[in-house]
Structure formats: C-alpha cells, structure tokens
C-alpha cells in the first residue's frame, strides 16, 4: 500500500501500453465507414457489424426488422420463423426494397456508415437516400438527401403487390398489401405518388422528404402506428451513469411522442422512475420474445444491486474444510510440477485463473501457508504477458480498429480462436484479469507496477468513453440494447453476431470488478458489477430455456434446457465444438469457470434441477470428458450435495480451468435447497465485499 493508505490513481482508460503492431489479416474499415469516423476506434462486435465486412450485404437484425443493404438499395424484412427441436431461426426475405433509380450508377459503390451509437446506425445506402436504423423502432425511416433535391424513389418486393393505395387525400399514407399475406404501411412527410410500375415494383417520381415503413401485424395496431408516425428517432444513447441502471435517450425529429419497442428483459427492468407508457396490446413478434410498444423518448432500466465478492457468500461448511484443505495442498503442490505448456491466450488465461482460485480458496478455508506458492506461480506466469517477455505470444495494440490483438493473431485470423480479428476478447481477457486481480490483491507492489497493463486490458472491452482520443472502442463486446455480450469479431455471419458461453462473459465483467477491488477503484467495481448483473439476467432470459415460458416455440423449448450458440437471428442447440447431443458440454459452457458469482447466475433451484435432469442421460455416452462431468455435478450439488460429492470424488481429471479443490469448495459452500437455512458456514479469515 502507498503511504497513509492512499491508492494510486488508475491510469487513463483511454491509454494503451502494449506495443503497436500492424495486422495482415484485419479488413480495411475505410471501405464502409465515413472518413470522419476513422480517426476514432471502431466497433468490432456491434449489432451492425455485417454492414462493415466483406461486401457489406449480409442482413442485420435491428428489431423488429432484418435489414440488408445491397446495390444502392435498402431491403427491409419482417422475418418469419423456422423452428425444430434443434434450432429456432428467423428467415430473411426481401419484403420491401427502397432505392432510387437515378442512383443506378452507384450500384457498385459500398454504402457508408455515417454515424452510429449505442442504439442506432445511420446508413447512406445510396448518394441520395439515408436510413436511420434505430433498434426497436416499429418503423424503418428513410430520408432523401437535402442536396439531392426531388428524388425518384422505387419500392420493390419479391412478393406481388395486390394493393398499393393511398389512405388519405394528402397521399402521405399508403397501404401496401402483398400476395405473401403481409401488409405494410408507408408514411411520408410530404405527398408521394406511388405508381405500380410492375407487379413487384412501385415508383414514386420526384419525392423529397422522409419515408417511414411499418409492417402491420394486426389491423388493430394501425391506429397506433398512425398516431406516432410523425415522430422518428435519428439516434440513441445508453448511459451507465448510475450503478445497476442504464438510461436510454433517443434524439428525434418530427412531431408528437416517440413510439419504440421493448424486448422482454426491457419490460422486466423498466423503472417507475421514467415517465413512459407501455402499450400492452401493441406487439411485434421476435426471436427474442414479443416486442411491446413503449411511448417515451427516455427510459430507465434498473436491476437489483450485486456486490461482487472474492469468496463464497455463505462460507465453507465446517465439516468440509478438512477435505478442501487436503485437495488444496495437492493442487498447489502440482503447480510447481505442471508448468503451463500452451501459448494460446485463451487456454493460458484459463490456466492462470485456475491457479488464482487456489489462493482465494486458501484464504477462505484458513490455509494461508499455501498462498506464497500460488503467488510465485502467478508472478512467474502472468508477468511475461504484461512486460512482453513471453515467448511465442503476447498482446499488441492494433491502431486500425483500435484494440488489442495477439502476436499469433497478427498473420493468422484463426489463431487464439480469432482474438486477432476481435473474437472472444472478453473471454480471454476475463481470465487474465481474474489472475491479475488476485495477484494484485496478494502482492500490491506487483499490482502497482503493472497497473497500466491491467487497465489497458480492461479498457479493451470495457471503455465507456465516446471521445475521439480514446484508444479503444466503447464497450467492445457488451450490447446495451440486448443487455448481453456478443462474440464473432470481424467475421461476417448470415445470422449476425453470436455468443456461446454466457458464464465466461459474466467472468469477464466480474473479474474487472475484482480488479477494481484490488486497486480500490470504486468506479470500476461499480461498472463491472453492473455489467455482470445485466449479463446474468440476459443469460437467464435467452440462454436458459424453460418449457412453456413462451419465448421459444414448444418443439424447441421442450427439447432444450440451454441454448448452445445464441445468434442475433438464430438459436442453436449445437456448440462450436460439440453436437447437440453432448448436453454436458452445453451445461458446462454456460457454467465455467466455477466462481462465487456462479450461484447468482443460477439462482433458480427448480431450473437447476431440470437442467441437471435433462443433462444426466448424456453422461452415459462413451467418451464423455471427466471435466464436463464435473460441471454437471457442481450444479447437482446445489440441491443434492452428498450425491454430487460422491460423484466428484470419483472423477479422474478436471477441466483445464478447474480443480478438485474448486469443485469441493463449491460443494461444501452450498446452502440448503430452500435457500432459507444456510447452515453453519466458516467465515473466511479475509473476506472483502464490493461497495
């Protein structure tokens, strides 16, 4: 500790300290981003990422519409659903395409992202037409460029138009009915004359102003769309100014109140502090559950507080301490005889975080004499990644997009699971931050020496700043509208962004909060805890599948208890590394690493029982890994500790991020099933709570 107990001020989150390097595998952002945006770090896992990759012509789900830009046109789709016991997917069709025939010469030119923020992206998809794509807006808004003057507009479809008729004398509202059974409404800020050029194309010569298109799911909703058609959002920001709150605020133009759509988690978290009106009967279908109308241009989303802890909340039961200590001594002894062999940033991160757990468990069970050995191991294994002396890999700074890459990822996009093209940053860095937080806790002088590197790693995926001077993009992985993280990086996917392991995402923000505890940084503790809380709620909402809950179709929800890979437009029962029938892997990848925060990720004992019951038959399959079995037994221990202990003691090996010590710590720190009587738990001799 510094003199008088003062903590050093954390370094500026804008700064980066790792050596700068030029990647040979990253795409050129100048192809799609407007020149004025290139001076600041750019998003690499955002909701519109497909618009910035390859040809930029893959769709993105903006809620409630899938939108695609191609050939100087903007295609809008209200997606249909295709589902089975193994997947649930939204399918894209070119329901309506807006373009300008006069821009035909620009058909080979890419669109331009001219502005973006937390809740929207503004796209110039032709020289004369601009789209304000705001997430959760029931309208898609297209405006003509002021400098272009009157523009000839085309509205086309893959479906035949059965009706294209004005609904008012001013010709500012039109009903478009197609042979697909769909009806869209078109609103215009000025009179527009739609003429049927062919069965599948409408033409509007000489229009200047704003066009808004809305799908009509139910005739009863038309009056609501009419009422709010004249006020349109152009941008939106989400502020993390208060612990466990996210404040939405949209910029708008036009007249009247703003109508937006809320997903099921939004509705659950909408605070009474904001003056909004929920329209319960105004609903759009979505793979994320019904999207419900909300009137108001600012929302407050508030969740319950979460206090990140180093240790279990109940403590290890007295009758289990000896068993934990015996395993602890063996696992600590093995550190010296089992050096880390991998150079992979992911697997190396798991290995050092695994070791760091042993130090915290030692604190909790009153076995401080093993901590020096863990300290030596962590100092020897973590330091080389921070000072650049590690042989074979290391972290570097990429100035093209603005973020960390690895040495192996500079020339190989597949190395380190794509870390060099910005995939899985929160997973890899989360493990490193966990080990750094523990090492800085037990060795404050080491922590002070490498504080800048630690904060640079945090900033890579947790920067809040929007300033041009920042070294890292704002919240690289966390989606402030969906309220969870995405992986995928700078890879184009037809189904949009994806995320597999919610628990590793939770670990990332939780580890950042622990780092804040180590450095006495209450702001980092608060932000880390807040993102942890929202990530867990999103996991419980969309990854944890409860039969009959209604978000997913019955055939999918009856056959699954956890989603494997969740995409923007799809829910998969398979994993990147395992088929659907390997249910133990699906459970494990949504639980690892096993930490004190894990009990908050799985708070519903009834669901835990269903999940374990659903998974257990898969353990009879030949070749099931012992490590995956350990995670199943860990969850079984939530409601049947003795059975789980017997199975855990019989395991021959453990996951490379887990130990027998950690499993026994978990099982011996479980309370009673009803969660009302916690039993006699030993209070660890050094416990530190956040806030």
């Amino acid at each position: 500790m510094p003199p008088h107990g003062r903590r050093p001020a954390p370094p500026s989150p804008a700064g980066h300290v790792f050596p700068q390097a030029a990647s040979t595998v990253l795409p050129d952002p100048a192809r799609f981003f407007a020149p004025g945006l290139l001076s600041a770090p750019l998003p690499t896992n955002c909701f519109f990422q497909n618009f910035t990759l390859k040809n930029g012509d893959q769709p993105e789900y903006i809620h409630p519409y899938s939108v695609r830009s191609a050939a100087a046109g903007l295609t809008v789709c209200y997606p249909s659903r295709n589902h089975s016991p193994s997947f649930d997917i939204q399918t894209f069709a070119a329901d309506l395409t807006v373009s300008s025939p006069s821009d035909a010469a620009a058909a080979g030119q890419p669109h331009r992202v001219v502005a973006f923020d937390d809740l929207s992206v503004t796209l110039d998809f032709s020289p004369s037409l601009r789209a304000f794509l705001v997430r959760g807006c029931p309208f898609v808004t297209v405006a003509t460029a002021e400098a272009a003057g009157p523009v000839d507009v085309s509205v086309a479809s893959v479906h035949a138009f059965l009706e294209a008729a004005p609904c008012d004398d001013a010709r500012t509202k039109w009903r478009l009915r197609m042979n697909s059974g769909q009806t869209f409404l078109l609103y215009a800020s000025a009179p527009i004359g739609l003429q049927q050029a062919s069965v599948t194309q409408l033409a509007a010569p000489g229009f200047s102003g704003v066009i808004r298109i809305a799908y009509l799911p139910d005739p009863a909703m038309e009056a609501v769309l009419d009422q709010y058609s004249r006020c349109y959002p152009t941008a939106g920001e989400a502020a993390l100014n208060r612990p466990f709150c996210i404040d939405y605020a949209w910029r708008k133009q036009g007249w009247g109140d703003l109508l937006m759509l809320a997903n099921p988690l939004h509705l659950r978290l909408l605070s009474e502090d904001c003056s909004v009106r929920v329209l319960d009967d105004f609903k759009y279908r979505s793979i994320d559950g019904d999207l419900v109308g909300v009137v108001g241009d600012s929302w407050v989303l508030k969740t319950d507080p979460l206090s990140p802890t180093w240790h279990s909340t109940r403590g290890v039961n007295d009758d289990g301490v000896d068993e934990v200590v015996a395993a602890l001594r063996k696992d600590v002894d093995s550190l010296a005889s089992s050096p880390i062999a991998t150079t992979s940033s992911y697997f190396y991160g798991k290995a050092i975080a695994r070791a760091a757990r042993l130090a915290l468990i030692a604190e909790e069970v009153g076995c401080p004499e093993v901590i020096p050995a863990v300290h030596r191991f962590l100092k020897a294994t973590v330091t080389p990644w921070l000072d650049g002396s590690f042989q074979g890999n290391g972290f570097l700074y990429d100035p093209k997009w603005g973020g960390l890459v690895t040495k192996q990822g500079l020339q190989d996009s597949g190395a380190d699971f794509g870390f060099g093209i910005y995939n899985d940053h929160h997973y890899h860095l989360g493990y490193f931050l966990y080990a750094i937080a523990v090492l800085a806790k037990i060795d404050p002088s080491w922590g002070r020496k490498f504080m800048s590197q630690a904060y640079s790693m945090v900033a890579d995926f947790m920067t809040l700043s929007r300033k041009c001077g920042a070294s890292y993009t704002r919240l690289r992985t966390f989606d402030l509208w969906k309220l969870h993280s995405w992986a995928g990086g700078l890879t184009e996917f037809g189904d949009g962004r994806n995320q597999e392991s919610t628990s590793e995402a939770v670990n990332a923000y939780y580890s950042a909060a622990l780092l804040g505890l180590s450095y006495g940084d209450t702001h980092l503790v608060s932000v880390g805890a807040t993102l942890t809380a929202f990530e867990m709620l999103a996991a419980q909402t969309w990854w944890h599948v409860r039969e009959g809950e209604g978000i997913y179709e019955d055939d999918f929800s009856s056959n699954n208890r956890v989603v494997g890979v969740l995409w923007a437009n799809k829910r998969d029962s398979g994993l990147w590394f395992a088929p659907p029938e390997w249910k133990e892997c699906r459970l494990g990848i949504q639980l690892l690493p096993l930490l004190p925060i894990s009990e908050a990720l799985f708070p519903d004992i009834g669901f835990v029982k269903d999940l374990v019951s659903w998974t257990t038959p898969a353990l009879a399959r030949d070749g099931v890994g012992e490590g995956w079995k350990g995670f199943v037994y860990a969850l079984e221990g939530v409601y049947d500790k003795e059975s789980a202990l017997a199975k855990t003691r019989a395991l021959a090996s453990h996951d490379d991020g887990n130990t027998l010590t950690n499993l026994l710590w978990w099982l011996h720190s479980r309370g009673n099933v009803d969660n009302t009587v916690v039993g006699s738990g030993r209070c660890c001799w050094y416990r530190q709570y956040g806030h």
Side-chain angles (χ1 to χ4, degrees):
M1 287 285 288
H4 312 298
R6 292 194 303 270
R7 296 278 186 175
S12 167
H16 68 86
V17 297
F18 292 98
Q20 190 165 301
S23 169
T24 63
V25 297
L26 286 169
D28 182 5
R31 176 168 165 77
F32 293 107
F33 285 97
L37 300 176
L38 297 175
S39 61
L42 296 167
T44 59
N45 265 301
C46 68
F47 69 96
F48 63 88
Q49 205 70 59
N50 274 351
F51 296 163
T52 71
L53 301 171
K54 291 191 174 179
N55 293 323
D57 57 357
Q58 288 296 321
E60 287 286 20
Y61 188 40
I62 311 295
H63 291 80
Y65 304 107
S66 287
V67 179
R68 183 175 66 194
S69 170
L74 187 78
T75 300
V76 178
C77 167
Y78 182 64
S80 58
R81 294 272 280 281
N82 189 6
H83 53 90
S84 75
S86 60
F87 67 84
D88 196 344
I89 188 171
Q90 293 186 147
T91 55
F92 185 91
D95 291 332
L96 284 178
T97 298
V98 180
S99 63
S100 173
S102 61
D103 292 334
Q109 299 176 8
H111 56 250
R112 286 287 187 195
V113 174
V114 296
F116 63 88
D117 49 44
D118 303 322
L119 307 177
S120 75
V121 59
T122 303
L123 205 67
D124 282 355
F125 60 91
S126 83
S128 55
L129 295 173
R130 169 172 291 182
F132 300 104
L133 302 176
V134 184
R135 311 175 76 183
C137 184
F139 304 86
V140 173
T141 304
V142 174
T144 62
E146 292 183 12
V151 176
D152 294 341
V153 176
S154 167
V155 180
S157 177
V158 294
H159 316 297
F161 289 106
L162 302 181
E163 178 186 9
C167 300
D168 59 353
D169 294 337
R171 302 171 78 83
T172 57
K173 176 189 173 186
W174 290 71
R175 177 174 287 102
L176 311 180
R177 189 167 57 86
M178 297 172 289
N179 67 348
S180 59
Q182 297 170 301
T183 298
F184 284 81
L185 300 175
L186 185 150
Y187 299 88
S189 63
I192 186 170
L194 288 175
Q195 303 165 2
Q196 193 144 354
S198 71
V199 174
T200 59
Q201 186 173 18
L202 308 174
F207 176 77
S208 180
V210 176
I211 293 172
R212 308 196 75 199
I213 294 168
Y215 176 70
L216 183 64
D218 185 328
M221 294 166 57
E222 184 168 356
V224 177
L225 290 168
D226 289 349
Q227 181 179 354
Y228 298 103
S229 63
R230 293 190 297 173
C231 178
Y232 62 96
T234 58
E237 292 183 350
L240 285 162
N241 296 330
R242 298 176 290 167
F244 309 106
C245 285
I246 297 178
D247 296 284
Y248 287 175
W250 288 272
R251 292 199 296 275
K252 60 182 184 178
Q253 294 187 23
W255 300 270
D257 295 327
L258 182 65
L259 172 65
M260 299 297 290
L261 299 171
N263 66 43
L265 189 50
H266 290 150
L267 290 174
R268 176 179 169 187
L269 299 175
L270 265 178
S271 171
E272 295 179 356
D273 296 345
C274 57
S275 55
V276 300
R277 185 160 56 93
V278 178
L279 308 181
D280 292 316
D281 296 327
F282 187 86
K283 296 180 180 179
Y284 281 79
R285 183 187 65 246
S286 168
I287 197 168
D288 296 308
D290 285 344
L291 306 174
V292 177
V294 177
V295 178
D297 54 20
S298 62
W299 301 358
V300 177
L301 305 177
K302 185 179 294 185
T303 186
D304 293 333
L306 171 75
S307 189
T309 62
W310 293 106
H311 308 104
S312 63
T313 56
R314 301 180 181 91
V316 175
N317 295 320
D318 287 338
D319 58 4
V321 169
D322 290 345
E323 184 177 18
V324 174
V325 168
L328 174 65
R329 294 184 186 279
K330 290 182 180 178
D331 282 330
V332 171
D333 287 344
S334 73
L335 292 177
S337 59
S338 304
I340 301 175
T342 182
T343 60
S344 158
S345 57
Y346 175 74
F347 291 113
Y348 199 101
K350 287 185 73 175
I352 56 177
R354 169 185 178 270
R357 287 287 309 130
L358 300 176
L360 295 181
I361 293 170
E363 288 182 346
E364 187 165 348
V365 297
C367 188
E369 60 269 25
V370 303
I371 295 178
V374 181
H375 174 212
R376 289 191 296 272
F377 179 85
L378 290 176
K379 193 171 182 179
T381 53
V382 175
T383 304
W385 282 79
L386 304 187
D387 66 12
S389 64
F390 184 72
Q391 298 299 308
N393 210 350
F395 294 117
L396 302 167
Y397 180 78
D398 155 50
K400 183 181 287 188
W401 289 82
L404 296 182
V405 295
T406 57
K407 290 179 182 178
Q408 292 184 6
L410 281 180
Q411 297 179 329
D412 181 358
S413 61
D416 293 323
F417 294 102
F419 190 94
I421 54 172
Y422 291 102
N423 181 46
D424 290 355
H425 271 214
H426 53 326
Y427 295 168
H428 299 226
L429 295 176
Y431 284 117
F432 273 87
L433 290 175
Y434 189 89
I436 292 170
V438 173
L439 184 50
K441 176 179 186 291
I442 60 180
D443 186 348
S445 63
W446 181 94
R448 288 193 296 275
K449 182 177 180 180
F450 292 102
M451 190 178 191
S452 293
Q453 288 89 337
Y455 270 81
S456 193
M457 294 167 80
V458 171
D460 176 78
F461 68 99
M462 277 183 61
T463 288
L464 297 184
S465 173
R466 300 182 179 91
K467 296 179 181 178
C468 290
S471 296
Y472 300 99
T473 191
R474 174 170 159 86
L475 288 176
R476 185 178 309 281
T477 54
F478 192 83
D479 184 328
L480 286 161
W481 197 85
K482 275 299 299 293
L483 305 179
H484 64 73
S485 299
W486 294 112
L490 297 179
T491 301
E492 179 189 70
F493 294 107
D495 292 314
R497 299 299 93 196
N498 69 84
Q499 179 163 265
E500 187 174 56
S501 176
T502 55
S503 50
E504 287 179 300
V506 166
N507 173 63
Y509 304 114
Y510 167 70
S511 296
L514 294 185
L515 190 77
L517 290 179
S518 288
Y519 286 123
D521 183 347
T522 56
H523 176 71
L524 181 56
V525 174
S526 176
V527 174
T530 296
L531 295 177
T532 299
F534 283 111
E535 187 83 43
M536 290 195 300
L537 287 172
Q540 293 156 13
T541 301
W542 288 298
W543 274 263
H544 299 180
V545 182
R546 295 166 177 82
E547 189 171 6
E549 194 171 47
I551 287 183
Y552 304 129
E553 282 81 5
D554 289 345
D555 55 355
F556 184 82
S557 64
S558 64
N559 199 56
N560 299 277
R561 283 297 163 270
V562 281
V563 171
V565 180
L566 185 143
W567 303 77
N569 272 301
K570 187 181 183 183
R571 306 294 183 260
D572 251 330
S573 56
L575 299 166
W576 285 109
F577 62 93
E581 57 268 23
W582 292 18
K583 295 179 180 180
E584 75 285 357
C585 294
R586 263 198 277 173
L587 178 151
I589 204 65
Q590 303 301 342
L591 177 61
L592 63 84
L594 198 61
L595 301 164
I597 197 66
S598 302
E599 65 182 39
L601 181 57
F602 287 90
D604 182 346
I605 292 177
F607 174 72
V608 170
K609 286 182 177 180
D610 287 345
L611 176 56
V612 173
S613 176
W614 171 83
T615 306
T616 298
L619 301 185
R621 193 184 68 254
D622 288 342
V624 174
E626 294 281 277
W628 296 112
K629 290 180 182 178
F631 294 116
V632 180
Y633 303 154
L635 279 190
E636 183 183 9
V638 170
Y639 60 89
D640 191 343
K641 184 171 73 173
E642 294 308 317
S643 172
L645 277 169
K647 296 172 183 176
T648 297
R649 290 164 182 149
L651 288 172
S653 62
H654 305 282
D655 178 72
D656 54 5
N658 204 9
T659 58
L660 176 60
T661 299
N662 197 42
L663 283 169
L664 292 174
W665 158 83
W666 169 268
L667 293 172
H668 283 301
S669 60
R670 298 306 88 208
N672 289 353
V673 170
D674 62 6
N675 272 342
T676 58
V677 181
V678 299
S680 61
R682 169 182 293 226
C683 184
C684 62
W685 60 270
Y686 187 90
R687 174 174 290 162
Q688 184 176 1
Y689 288 92
H691 313 316

